[in-house]
Amino acid sequence: MDINEILKCMSDCGCDAGHTEEFLNLKENCSPESCIRFLKRHRKQLMEQIHQMGHKVDCVDYMIRELEKEAGNHE
């Protein structure tokens, strides 16, 4: 991967400038395994955010169902 592709990918996956710099430093000075560990940690954080958002969506869906039940009882 060239530097432009790395910068685009890091931006696309939500890494800020600090994380991008950290990754580039790892890539330049460390083993590929270090880069993989870094990316797996970031992936884990993204997956946790997905699960948190899923829980929030579930709560909104619950409220919608409950309000729809109430609206059906008042007709």
Side-chain angles (χ1 to χ4, degrees), residues 19-49:
H19 283 106
T20 300
E21 184 177 330
E22 183 180 351
F23 178 79
L24 291 172
N25 185 47
L26 285 172
K27 183 148 179 29
E28 185 175 321
N29 299 308
C30 299
S31 67
E33 290 80 13
S34 296
C35 294
I36 292 168
R37 280 192 299 275
F38 176 92
L39 292 172
K40 285 186 176 184
R41 278 194 310 272
H42 185 67
R43 183 185 187 284
K44 182 180 178 187
Q45 292 170 347
L46 292 173
M47 291 302 295
E48 288 172 1
Q49 290 174 11

